Amino acid sequence: MNDVALERIPPCSGRAVELGTADELIVIDPMGQQVSDLTAFARDDTAEYLSSGRSIDYASKLWLSTGDVLYSNRSRPMFTIVEDTCGRHDFTLTPCSKRMFELIYGETEGRPGCEGNLASALAPYGIGTDRIPIAFNIFMNVAFDAITGAVAVLPPLSRAGDSIRLRAEMPMVVAMTACSAGQSNNFSYKPIDFGIRRARA
Amino acid sequence: MNDVALERIPPCSGRAVELGTADELIVIDPMGQQVSDLTAFARDDTAEYLSSGRSIDYASKLWLSTGDVLYSNRSRPMFTIVEDTCGRHDFTLTPCSKRMFELIYGETEGRPGCEGNLASALAPYGIGTDRIPIAFNIFMNVAFDAITGAVAVLPPLSRAGDSIRLRAEMPMVVAMTACSAGQSNNFSYKPIDFGIRRARA
């Protein structure tokens, strides 16, 4: 996708874009060790949304990569992962949020976090904070202890220039962030780049 | 809770109940190796619902048990696990559904599954199928490979009479099932029992 113009999501912010069927979205970590929380809603009926629980169930694995399909709550394909140079993303945790920063990081007045930034980006589509689900947390590196179930948020494995390319399988509104949570991005609040190749010019 | 009258959820069906703050709900596997998918919505505003992603994040573990708190999407406590004689439940997979039975089990006309049964139980509260989230899958035994992320649905560890007791931390509408998915309950479609101890008589 060298021919695709890239746009930059500044640190600790979010963006929404519309995709048509067969459009391709590339999400790039330009500096390394940054996370982008991505969520999606069907453009024609936003009650249909990207479902981690369906996607994990159908793939029979926690970590999705090249060739895997991301499903909606209605069990319809929303994305296919066409290319993935990193290989490790999380699909189990909700986006960082104002309340999460207060509870886990001890901030007296939590920042909006990815939840707030996704909600702001999706506000023009009538989608509020309550409807931000578990996101597809691109480049987020969450490890699990198979015996105890303990969860550890580790620095991302992504290096500068790593990317994931997703093909849209239906018309969607897609929102994504440059993550605000220190634990997720090794306390290196960086931007995220993305580009879209339209199937129809 | 020997003083609490028990009710039975027949195999492959669901029930909804209302709980007040400090009410206790006990869910029992009367015969062993059966799963009950449980979900909950705030009674006063059903846009607030039980969130797996928040609960796992705040507990820093996949498998919740005695002493752990189940949170809403608004990061407020919904339940505290007061007692748990089994110790293994899943909080990562969406309820079995008509489409899931078609995709994974190859059924030509999928049964409603826990998703359909939860939605039927919640219909009087205006909550439809699209809004059934990842459930707290009581007694469901899902294992993860820490290296590959592979997911395996194993027979429940629950034996006849095992139970979990949950204290309600807010007024809620709670729905639960006797699970319809063979993989989840070792192909032994059994009932689930439950009882409620009211904080206020």
Side-chain angles (χ1 to χ4, degrees), chain A residues 146-150, chain B residues 27 29 34 61-68 81-91 136-142 155-159 161-166:
Chain A
I147 306 301
T148 66
Chain B
V27 180
D29 181 353
Q34 176 56 307
K61 58 185 172 182
L62 288 173
W63 305 318
L64 306 185
S65 187
T66 308
D68 290 322
I81 303 178
V82 177
E83 190 175 34
D84 178 11
T85 68
C86 175
R88 185 65 172 264
H89 319 281
D90 173 68
F91 214 173
F136 183 56
N137 302 310
I138 296 171
F139 309 128
M140 188 174 184
N141 183 12
V142 178
L157 300 179
S158 52
R159 291 154 303 179
D162 269 336
S163 66
I164 185 169
R165 190 154 53 93
L166 303 160

Coordinates of all heavy atoms in Angstrom, one line a residue, chain A residues 146-150, chain B residues 27 29 34 61-68 81-91 136-142 155-159 161-166:
Chain A
A146 N -1.5 -19.5 31.7 CA -2.4 -20.5 31.4 C -2.9 -21.3 32.6 O -4.0 -22.0 32.6 CB -1.8 -21.5 30.4
I147 N -2.2 -21.2 33.7 CA -2.5 -21.9 35.0 C -3.4 -21.0 35.8 O -4.5 -21.5 36.3 CB -1.3 -22.3 35.8 CG1 -0.3 -23.1 34.9 CG2 -1.7 -23.1 37.0 CD1 -0.9 -24.4 34.3
T148 N -3.0 -19.8 36.1 CA -3.8 -18.9 37.0 C -4.7 -18.0 36.3 O -5.6 -17.4 36.9 CB -2.8 -18.0 37.8 OG1 -2.1 -17.1 36.8 CG2 -1.7 -18.9 38.4
G149 N -4.6 -17.8 35.0 CA -5.4 -16.8 34.3 C -5.0 -15.4 34.5 O -5.6 -14.5 34.0
A150 N -3.8 -15.2 35.1 CA -3.4 -13.8 35.4 C -3.1 -13.1 34.0 O -2.6 -13.7 33.1 CB -2.1 -13.8 36.2
Chain B
V27 N -26.3 -19.6 42.1 CA -26.4 -20.4 40.9 C -25.8 -21.8 41.1 O -24.6 -21.8 41.5 CB -25.8 -19.7 39.6 CG1 -26.0 -20.6 38.4 CG2 -26.5 -18.3 39.5
D29 N -25.1 -25.9 39.9 CA -25.1 -27.0 38.9 C -25.5 -28.2 39.6 O -24.8 -28.9 40.3 CB -23.6 -27.1 38.4 CG -23.5 -28.2 37.3 OD1 -24.5 -28.9 37.1 OD2 -22.4 -28.3 36.7
Q34 N -22.4 -28.7 33.9 CA -23.3 -27.8 33.2 C -22.9 -26.4 33.3 O -22.4 -26.0 34.4 CB -24.8 -28.0 33.5 CG -25.8 -27.1 32.8 CD -25.8 -27.2 31.3 OE1 -24.7 -27.0 30.7 NE2 -26.9 -27.4 30.7
K61 N -7.1 -10.6 35.8 CA -7.1 -12.0 35.6 C -8.3 -12.4 34.8 O -9.3 -11.7 34.8 CB -7.0 -12.8 36.9 CG -8.1 -12.5 37.9 CD -7.9 -13.2 39.2 CE -8.8 -12.7 40.2 NZ -8.6 -13.4 41.5
L62 N -8.2 -13.5 34.0 CA -9.3 -14.0 33.2 C -10.4 -14.7 34.0 O -11.6 -14.6 33.6 CB -8.8 -15.0 32.1 CG -7.9 -14.4 31.0 CD1 -7.4 -15.6 30.2 CD2 -8.8 -13.5 30.1
W63 N -10.0 -15.3 35.1 CA -10.9 -16.2 35.8 C -11.2 -15.6 37.1 O -10.4 -15.6 38.0 CB -10.3 -17.6 35.9 CG -10.0 -18.1 34.6 CD1 -10.7 -18.0 33.4 CD2 -8.8 -18.8 34.2 NE1 -10.0 -18.6 32.4 CE2 -8.8 -19.1 32.8 CE3 -7.6 -19.2 34.9 CZ2 -7.8 -19.8 32.1 CZ3 -6.6 -19.9 34.2 CH2 -6.7 -20.2 32.9
L64 N -12.5 -15.2 37.3 CA -12.9 -14.5 38.5 C -13.5 -15.5 39.5 O -14.1 -16.5 39.1 CB -13.9 -13.4 38.2 CG -13.4 -12.4 37.2 CD1 -14.4 -11.3 37.0 CD2 -12.0 -11.9 37.5
S65 N -13.3 -15.3 40.8 CA -13.8 -16.2 41.8 C -14.0 -15.4 43.1 O -14.1 -14.2 43.1 CB -12.8 -17.4 42.0 OG -13.4 -18.4 42.9
T66 N -14.1 -16.1 44.2 CA -14.5 -15.5 45.5 C -13.7 -14.2 45.8 O -12.5 -14.2 45.7 CB -14.2 -16.5 46.6 OG1 -14.9 -17.8 46.3 CG2 -14.8 -16.0 48.0
G67 N -14.5 -13.2 46.1 CA -13.9 -11.9 46.4 C -13.8 -11.0 45.2 O -13.6 -9.8 45.4
D68 N -13.9 -11.5 44.0 CA -13.7 -10.6 42.8 C -15.0 -9.9 42.5 O -16.1 -10.4 42.9 CB -13.3 -11.5 41.6 CG -11.9 -12.0 41.7 OD1 -11.0 -11.2 42.3 OD2 -11.6 -13.1 41.4
I81 N -18.5 -11.6 43.9 CA -18.6 -13.1 44.1 C -18.3 -13.4 45.6 O -17.2 -13.2 46.1 CB -17.6 -13.9 43.2 CG1 -17.8 -13.5 41.8 CG2 -17.7 -15.4 43.5 CD1 -16.8 -14.2 40.8
V82 N -19.3 -13.9 46.3 CA -19.2 -14.1 47.7 C -18.7 -15.4 48.1 O -18.1 -15.7 49.1 CB -20.6 -13.8 48.4 CG1 -20.6 -14.1 49.9 CG2 -21.1 -12.4 48.1
E83 N -19.1 -16.4 47.2 CA -18.7 -17.8 47.5 C -18.7 -18.5 46.1 O -19.5 -18.2 45.2 CB -19.7 -18.5 48.4 CG -19.3 -19.8 48.9 CD -20.3 -20.4 49.9 OE1 -21.6 -20.1 49.8 OE2 -19.9 -21.0 50.9
D84 N -17.8 -19.5 46.0 CA -17.6 -20.1 44.7 C -17.0 -21.5 45.0 O -15.8 -21.6 45.3 CB -16.7 -19.3 43.8 CG -16.4 -19.9 42.5 OD1 -17.1 -20.9 42.2 OD2 -15.5 -19.4 41.8
T85 N -17.7 -22.6 44.9 CA -17.2 -23.9 45.2 C -16.6 -24.5 44.0 O -16.0 -25.6 44.1 CB -18.3 -24.8 45.8 OG1 -19.2 -25.1 44.7 CG2 -19.0 -24.2 46.9
C86 N -16.7 -23.9 42.8 CA -16.1 -24.5 41.6 C -14.8 -23.8 41.3 O -13.8 -24.5 41.1 CB -17.1 -24.4 40.4 SG -16.4 -24.9 38.8
G87 N -14.8 -22.5 41.1 CA -13.6 -21.8 40.9 C -13.2 -21.6 39.5 O -12.1 -20.9 39.2
R88 N -13.9 -22.0 38.5 CA -13.5 -21.8 37.1 C -14.8 -21.5 36.3 O -15.7 -22.3 36.2 CB -12.9 -23.1 36.6 CG -12.3 -22.9 35.2 CD -11.2 -21.9 35.1 NE -10.5 -21.8 33.8 CZ -9.4 -22.5 33.5 NH1 -8.8 -23.2 34.4 NH2 -8.9 -22.5 32.3
H89 N -14.7 -20.3 35.7 CA -15.8 -19.7 34.9 C -15.1 -19.0 33.8 O -14.0 -18.5 33.9 CB -16.7 -18.8 35.7 CG -17.0 -19.3 37.1 ND1 -17.9 -20.3 37.3 CD2 -16.4 -19.0 38.3 CE1 -17.9 -20.6 38.7 NE2 -17.0 -19.8 39.3
D90 N -15.8 -18.8 32.7 CA -15.3 -18.1 31.5 C -15.9 -16.7 31.4 O -17.1 -16.5 31.8 CB -15.5 -18.9 30.2 CG -15.1 -18.1 29.0 OD1 -13.9 -17.8 28.8 OD2 -16.0 -17.6 28.3
F91 N -15.1 -15.8 30.9 CA -15.7 -14.4 30.7 C -15.1 -13.8 29.4 O -15.0 -12.6 29.3 CB -15.3 -13.5 31.9 CG -16.3 -12.5 32.3 CD1 -16.0 -11.7 33.5 CD2 -17.4 -12.3 31.6 CE1 -16.9 -10.8 33.9 CE2 -18.3 -11.3 32.0 CZ -18.1 -10.6 33.2
F136 N -21.0 -13.7 31.6 CA -20.2 -14.4 32.6 C -20.7 -15.9 32.5 O -21.8 -16.2 33.0 CB -20.5 -13.8 34.0 CG -19.6 -14.4 35.1 CD1 -18.3 -14.4 35.0 CD2 -20.2 -14.9 36.2 CE1 -17.5 -15.0 36.0 CE2 -19.5 -15.4 37.2 CZ -18.1 -15.5 37.1
N137 N -19.8 -16.7 32.0 CA -20.2 -18.1 31.7 C -19.9 -19.0 32.9 O -18.8 -19.6 32.9 CB -19.5 -18.5 30.4 CG -19.9 -17.6 29.2 OD1 -21.1 -17.3 29.0 ND2 -18.9 -17.1 28.5
I138 N -20.8 -19.1 33.8 CA -20.6 -19.8 35.0 C -20.3 -21.3 34.8 O -21.1 -21.9 34.0 CB -21.8 -19.6 36.0 CG1 -22.0 -18.1 36.3 CG2 -21.7 -20.4 37.2 CD1 -23.2 -17.7 37.1
F139 N -19.3 -21.8 35.4 CA -18.9 -23.2 35.3 C -18.2 -23.5 33.9 O -17.8 -24.6 33.7 CB -20.0 -24.2 35.6 CG -20.7 -23.9 36.9 CD1 -22.1 -23.8 36.9 CD2 -20.0 -23.8 38.1 CE1 -22.8 -23.6 38.1 CE2 -20.7 -23.5 39.3 CZ -22.1 -23.5 39.3
M140 N -18.2 -22.6 33.0 CA -17.6 -22.9 31.7 C -16.1 -22.9 31.8 O -15.5 -22.0 32.4 CB -18.0 -21.8 30.6 CG -17.6 -22.2 29.2 SD -18.3 -21.0 28.0 CE -17.8 -21.8 26.5
N141 N -15.5 -23.9 31.2 CA -14.1 -24.2 31.4 C -13.4 -24.0 30.1 O -13.3 -24.8 29.2 CB -13.9 -25.6 31.9 CG -12.4 -26.0 32.2 OD1 -11.6 -25.1 32.2 ND2 -12.2 -27.2 32.3
V142 N -12.8 -22.8 29.9 CA -12.1 -22.4 28.7 C -10.6 -22.3 29.0 O -10.3 -21.5 29.9 CB -12.7 -21.1 28.1 CG1 -11.9 -20.7 26.8 CG2 -14.2 -21.3 27.7
P155 N -14.7 -29.7 29.2 CA -15.8 -30.0 30.1 C -15.7 -29.2 31.4 O -14.6 -29.0 31.9 CB -15.6 -31.5 30.4 CG -14.9 -32.0 29.2 CD -13.9 -30.9 28.8
P156 N -16.8 -28.7 31.9 CA -16.7 -27.9 33.2 C -16.1 -28.7 34.3 O -16.2 -30.0 34.3 CB -18.2 -27.7 33.4 CG -18.9 -27.8 32.1 CD -18.2 -28.8 31.4
L157 N -15.5 -28.0 35.2 CA -14.9 -28.7 36.4 C -16.0 -28.9 37.5 O -15.7 -29.5 38.5 CB -13.8 -27.8 36.9 CG -12.6 -27.6 36.0 CD1 -11.5 -26.7 36.6 CD2 -12.0 -28.9 35.5
S158 N -17.2 -28.3 37.3 CA -18.2 -28.4 38.3 C -18.7 -29.8 38.5 O -19.0 -30.5 37.5 CB -19.4 -27.4 37.9 OG -19.8 -27.7 36.6
R159 N -18.9 -30.1 39.8 CA -19.5 -31.4 40.1 C -20.9 -31.1 40.7 O -21.2 -30.0 41.0 CB -18.6 -32.1 41.2 CG -17.3 -32.6 40.7 CD -16.3 -32.7 41.8 NE -16.2 -31.4 42.4 CZ -15.4 -31.1 43.5 NH1 -14.6 -32.1 44.0 NH2 -15.3 -29.9 44.0
G161 N -23.9 -30.2 42.6 CA -24.0 -29.4 43.8 C -23.1 -28.2 43.9 O -23.2 -27.4 44.8
D162 N -22.1 -28.1 43.0 CA -21.3 -26.9 43.0 C -22.1 -25.7 42.7 O -23.1 -25.7 42.0 CB -20.1 -27.0 42.0 CG -18.9 -27.7 42.5 OD1 -18.7 -27.6 43.8 OD2 -18.1 -28.3 41.8
S163 N -21.6 -24.5 43.3 CA -22.4 -23.3 43.2 C -21.5 -22.1 43.3 O -20.4 -22.2 43.7 CB -23.4 -23.3 44.4 OG -22.7 -23.1 45.6
I164 N -22.1 -21.0 42.8 CA -21.5 -19.7 43.0 C -22.5 -18.7 43.5 O -23.7 -18.8 43.1 CB -20.9 -19.2 41.6 CG1 -20.1 -17.9 41.8 CG2 -22.0 -19.0 40.6 CD1 -19.3 -17.5 40.6
R165 N -22.1 -17.9 44.5 CA -23.0 -17.0 45.1 C -22.6 -15.5 44.8 O -21.4 -15.2 45.1 CB -23.1 -17.2 46.6 CG -24.2 -16.5 47.4 CD -24.6 -17.3 48.7 NE -23.4 -17.6 49.5 CZ -23.0 -16.8 50.5 NH1 -23.6 -15.7 50.8 NH2 -22.0 -17.1 51.3
L166 N -23.5 -14.7 44.3 CA -23.2 -13.4 43.8 C -24.0 -12.4 44.6 O -25.2 -12.5 44.7 CB -23.5 -13.3 42.3 CG -22.8 -14.2 41.4 CD1 -23.6 -14.3 40.1 CD2 -21.4 -13.8 41.2

